[in-house]
Amino acid sequence: MIKIENVHKSYGAKDNKSEILKGISLDVKRGDFAVILGASGSGKSTLLNVASGLERPDSGSVLYDGENIAALTDEKLTAFRKRKIGFIFQQYYLLPNLNVDKNVKMGAELAHNNDYAEVIAALGLSEKRGKFPHELSGGEQQRVSVARALAKKPEVLFLDEPTGALDEETGRSVLDYICKLQDELKFTIIMVTHNANIAEMAKTVIRMNSGKIVEQYRNQTQKTAYEIGW
Amino acid sequence: MVIGIKDIFKLIGIIIISICAVFVCTLFLNYNIDLQSIENKILSVETKALFDALVMSGTVVSAVSGGCLLITAVVMLCFYIKHYIDSHRKELGILKALGYSNLRISSGFWVFGLSVFFGSAVGFAGAHCLMPKFYSVQNEDKLLPEFEPGFHLELFLSLVILPTVIFALMSVVYSLLKMKTPVLELLRGKSVSKIKAVKDGKDLPFLKDIKRATVRGRKSLVFFIAFAAFCYSAMVQMSFGIDELASEMMSFMILGIGLTLAFVTLFIAVTTIVRSNAESVSIMRVFGYSRKECSVAVLSGYRPAAIVGFAVGTGYQYLLLKIAVEVVFKDIENVPEFDFNLRALIIAAVSFVIFYEVIMYLYSRKIGKISVKEIMLDSVD
Ligand SMILES: Nc1ncnc2c1ncn2[C@@H]1O[C@H](COP(=O)(O)OP(=O)(O)OP(=O)(O)O)[C@@H](O)[C@H]1O
Ligand SMILES: [Mg+2]
């Protein structure tokens, strides 16, 4: 479904240019659960941004069912994200002047999803619906950002460190809920994490180092969120 | 420290408004002072009446436009400092957390007074350049004895030095008040009072929700938009309305000031709106909301404010001119009838709609250019 071919990406002007992605190729099947591991600064977030159409690669292509999104106009790219992509950021990025309910609604409305209260409840946020982001703890904000992405019912869900701010118990329950929804809705997951244990839940594991993929393998069996170590 | 020369140039709005205010006030007050000096040379009763009317209209004009502009400058400066602090909360919080005293941080804000100095000095100098021309136009019919423009130190002190000192002090005091916020709240980045206004309302569609939240989150901007419309409407209609009452030069001056004020205020307000919502827009763009949807959410909520401002401006200029005609010119013969000027209203309304919508369109283009990566780079200020 997603085929990334020889993608390069650099930041910075001519003289202090640094190449972050150095020729990445990757193939992710529909319904896959891919986990990207790698040291801090190895380019994981950048890869996620390019793969999800938030950014264009300098060269190479990003194909969704054969369509190269790197070549789309901004307008088409926006429409593409609206149809297909859900995103959970490392830094949450909630809308600061809207409460939890409205933040989740922002995602839900794009998918004409009126039952988003279910998602809020499943993530243990029912009590917090009327609260604003600045009134929430880091972990609660992270769960709102998860709820917002899931309420959008995306075809592909990108997650950047979705459990970074969560304690073990909440972390497990959030991952468990995401997996349950995946079973039900059959979306594709691409997740970045520092926690190597989470890789045991994945179908595909990708390991990155300094802008390159150094290892890629498929797990024979997948563990659930309650079976992995933490 | 935290404030640099670059920030002073961001105060371009205050500079321009100070130029306008001081320019008008200097011109008319200087004229009045020089005029008083020839009072005893006037012999005939008719000339005396003309003399009184000139003194009076000079005072009215400088009071109305100068005063108006001064109030705007004060409001705008407060707004700027507030905005500056709001958008630099984190840095200020860190400085505070490191142990810098409030006074130490706030004292840096005096440089904001410099922008007032730039503006008022330019305005004062500009007025003196135009003075010879102005004096001869005011006395076109040679009814008054000739007199030359003089330089009055008291005007320089009260129109240039005094405002600079007051604004510098005000900046420091205002920022000192603002700095009372506890460190943690500063570090959290968003001011609490800004947000709590939005009650969990009825079940509106998301785009309506965010439109309401953006407008309510920053009420000062509603005021600015309304004020821009007010200035435009009042000054443009007035400049057409007085073409029979006063000299052409005066009409042009009023027109020029009105357009400048409206443009500057609107420009500042919309820039602030776009900047302070850049993060939200960027998040919405990630999720796939289009440029149009984002600009509707961010910009279109202010249209009612513009309409109200325009209407108030229309009423204001009508009343002001009516009073001026009936009070100031009541003893003078041949003052033309003053009626509501429908033609001026139509011209002002049509041109304002075009003016407003073009600016909004340009800014919605700008919103479209906010990249989805903007928030991650954190380069928005
Ligand atoms: N917009 C940018 N401009 C310049 N350099 C950037 C930009 N974004 C990322 N980088 C650089 O690219 C490198 C990789 O960043 P990236 O965010 O992809 O790392 P990461 O693997 O996600 O790290 P972490 O695990 O800490 O989140 C970093 O060295 C970073 O400094
Ligand atoms: Mg990262």
Side-chain angles (χ1 to χ4, degrees):
Chain A
M1 133 147 234
I2 309 172
K3 200 173 169 72
I4 296 173
E5 283 174 341
N6 199 20
V7 158
H8 289 261
K9 178 82 194 170
S10 317
Y11 286 122
K14 271 180 213 142
D15 19 346
N16 62 346
K17 197 165 175 163
S18 55
E19 193 169 36
I20 310 298
L21 299 181
K22 303 167 182 165
I24 299 256
S25 297
L26 192 61
D27 210 338
V28 179
K29 303 232 156 21
R30 188 178 297 278
D32 204 347
F33 183 161
V35 161
I36 303 174
L37 295 170
S40 181
S42 56
K44 305 183 297 293
S45 297
T46 310
L47 175 59
L48 224 51
N49 292 337
V50 171
S52 58
L54 298 191
E55 270 197 295
R56 290 171 201 280
D58 296 340
S59 65
S61 52
V62 180
L63 303 165
Y64 277 73
D65 301 324
E67 185 185 26
N68 185 7
I69 63 162
L72 293 178
T73 61
D74 275 348
E75 227 160 290
K76 290 218 170 105
L77 198 56
T78 307
F80 161 81
R81 285 198 301 268
K82 179 171 170 173
R83 276 197 323 272
K84 305 223 164 170
I85 304 297
F87 214 106
I88 296 167
F89 292 101
Q90 205 166 1
Q91 293 91 348
Y92 331 136
Y93 298 128
L94 303 179
L95 295 174
N97 51 356
L98 293 178
N99 64 22
V100 170
D101 191 73
K102 309 266 152 88
N103 260 288
V104 178
K105 194 179 187 181
M106 167 181 144
E109 215 160 82
L110 287 172
H112 308 289
N113 174 6
N114 293 321
D115 311 320
Y116 62 92
E118 234 169 72
V119 183
I120 294 182
L123 288 162
L125 292 165
S126 299
E127 308 274 288
K128 308 279 179 192
R129 285 182 69 156
K131 296 254 189 258
F132 289 92
H134 67 97
E135 298 169 324
L136 301 176
S137 74
E140 285 161 351
Q141 292 185 47
Q142 187 149 54
R143 279 181 281 151
V144 176
S145 120
V146 172
R148 178 175 67 181
L150 291 177
K152 187 174 176 277
K153 299 194 170 162
E155 269 182 45
V156 188
L157 182 63
F158 291 90
L159 308 97
D160 200 344
E161 290 286 350
T163 55
L166 303 179
D167 60 49
E168 180 176 342
E169 200 186 44
T170 330
R172 285 184 197 273
S173 80
V174 166
L175 287 179
D176 188 53
Y177 180 60
I178 293 173
C179 289
K180 266 204 202 113
L181 269 188
Q182 187 192 21
D183 282 345
E184 188 184 318
L185 301 172
K186 308 284 179 229
F187 51 83
T188 308
I189 294 179
I190 301 182
M191 182 192 294
V192 163
T193 178
H194 275 124
N195 187 341
N197 290 317
I198 294 179
E200 295 176 21
M201 291 175 65
K203 289 181 188 153
T204 306
V205 180
I206 297 150
R207 195 176 291 277
M208 276 183 80
N209 193 8
S210 345
K212 290 205 179 105
I213 291 178
V214 289
E215 189 186 3
Q216 180 171 358
Y217 60 88
R218 289 185 69 82
N219 282 330
Q220 295 309 314
T221 53
Q222 292 173 259
K223 292 189 177 171
T224 70
Y226 293 102
E227 290 165 354
I228 58 170
W230 197 265
Chain B
M1 217 196 48
V2 256
I3 311 164
I5 292 294
K6 218 177 85 218
D7 292 303
I8 300 179
F9 285 105
K10 288 204 188 134
L11 299 178
I12 191 82
I14 296 183
I15 298 181
I16 291 176
I17 288 171
S18 326
I19 293 178
C20 292
V22 173
F23 177 80
V24 175
C25 289
T26 310
L27 207 55
F28 282 93
L29 293 177
N30 212 70
Y31 183 73
N32 272 12
I33 294 176
D34 289 333
L35 197 59
Q36 313 280 357
S37 67
I38 57 156
E39 186 167 10
N40 47 14
K41 291 193 196 149
I42 294 168
L43 305 169
S44 77
V45 183
E46 280 155 47
T47 326
K48 183 79 175 77
L50 176 66
F51 173 83
D52 286 341
L54 278 176
V55 172
M56 215 24 196
S57 68
T59 318
V60 168
V61 170
S62 39
V64 169
S65 47
C68 226
L69 292 166
L70 222 67
I71 294 170
T72 323
V74 173
V75 173
M76 211 171 252
L77 191 67
C78 289
F79 170 77
Y80 254 119
I81 298 172
K82 181 171 142 38
H83 181 68
Y84 187 88
I85 294 183
D86 280 346
S87 54
H88 291 74
R89 289 173 85 84
K90 288 209 173 119
E91 283 111 302
L92 295 175
I94 291 167
L95 284 177
K96 248 181 110 164
L98 288 175
Y100 284 88
S101 73
N102 284 356
L103 192 63
R104 176 80 193 283
I105 299 173
S106 295
S107 59
F109 279 80
W110 74 271
V111 292
F112 281 118
L114 273 189
S115 61
V116 177
F117 180 76
F118 283 144
S120 49
V122 170
F124 191 82
H128 271 275
C129 291
L130 200 77
M131 240 170 239
K133 178 99 172 76
F134 180 70
Y135 277 39
S136 61
V137 169
Q138 287 290 78
N139 193 15
E140 230 164 8
D141 310 329
K142 303 271 181 251
L143 293 173
L144 295 173
E146 288 281 332
F147 60 98
E148 291 293 307
F151 175 82
H152 302 284
L153 186 65
E154 68 270 30
L155 278 186
F156 181 73
L157 290 179
S158 56
L159 290 176
V160 179
I161 302 300
L162 193 65
T164 304
V165 174
I166 292 178
F167 271 91
L169 275 179
M170 221 170 63
S171 313
V172 173
V173 171
Y174 187 79
S175 61
L176 206 52
L177 289 178
K178 283 260 139 198
M179 291 296 297
K180 286 238 166 74
T181 324
V183 178
L184 264 184
E185 222 168 274
L186 284 175
L187 283 176
R188 277 204 148 187
K190 284 284 169 193
S191 89
V192 180
S193 59
K194 210 195 284 177
I195 291 159
K196 69 176 180 230
V198 191
K199 289 261 149 37
D200 196 355
K202 287 152 275 149
D203 205 30
L204 292 171
F206 168 74
L207 285 172
K208 287 232 169 69
D209 272 332
I210 186 151
K211 187 163 120 186
R212 267 192 356 181
T214 37
V215 173
R216 291 193 192 175
R218 281 174 169 272
K219 298 214 180 59
S220 50
L221 290 173
V222 177
F223 168 80
F224 273 99
I225 300 273
F227 183 77
F230 169 86
C231 287
Y232 190 95
S233 148
M235 303 288 217
V236 169
Q237 292 187 62
M238 198 185 288
S239 96
F240 281 101
I242 63 165
D243 56 358
E244 294 183 348
L245 301 173
S247 61
E248 206 166 79
M249 194 169 164
M250 204 122 113
S251 304
F252 270 121
M253 230 153 65
I254 289 179
L255 185 66
I257 289 174
L259 292 181
T260 313
L261 266 187
F263 183 76
V264 169
T265 330
L266 200 60
F267 175 75
I268 288 170
V270 184
T271 309
T272 314
I273 293 170
V274 171
R275 270 203 197 129
S276 57
N277 288 299
E279 190 182 328
S280 299
V281 168
S282 171
I283 299 167
M284 286 171 66
R285 302 271 294 152
V286 169
F287 274 76
Y289 285 93
S290 66
R291 176 191 73 111
K292 195 142 174 260
E293 286 167 322
C294 292
S295 45
V296 165
V298 170
L299 292 176
S300 70
Y302 295 93
R303 205 169 273 124
I307 294 171
V308 170
F310 192 91
V312 174
T314 304
Y316 170 82
Q317 60 89 25
Y318 177 71
L319 282 178
L320 198 72
L321 286 185
K322 193 94 189 150
I323 291 169
V325 168
E326 272 163 22
V327 178
V328 180
F329 295 106
K330 71 170 182 299
D331 301 329
I332 303 169
E333 284 167 36
N334 297 331
V335 172
E337 274 293 296
F338 175 70
D339 269 325
F340 187 81
N341 193 334
L342 189 66
R343 196 178 65 106
L345 173 65
I346 292 172
I347 293 175
V350 170
S351 61
F352 182 70
V353 169
I354 295 171
F355 171 71
Y356 186 86
E357 294 303 332
V358 165
I359 288 195
M360 290 301 162
Y361 176 73
L362 293 179
Y363 273 90
S364 89
R365 293 287 298 263
K366 205 168 166 176
I367 285 179
K369 292 221 181 73
I370 293 177
S371 87
V372 289
K373 275 251 354 188
E374 204 105 331
I375 37 169
M376 291 165 237
L377 302 175
D378 213 6
S379 62
V380 197
D381 68 327

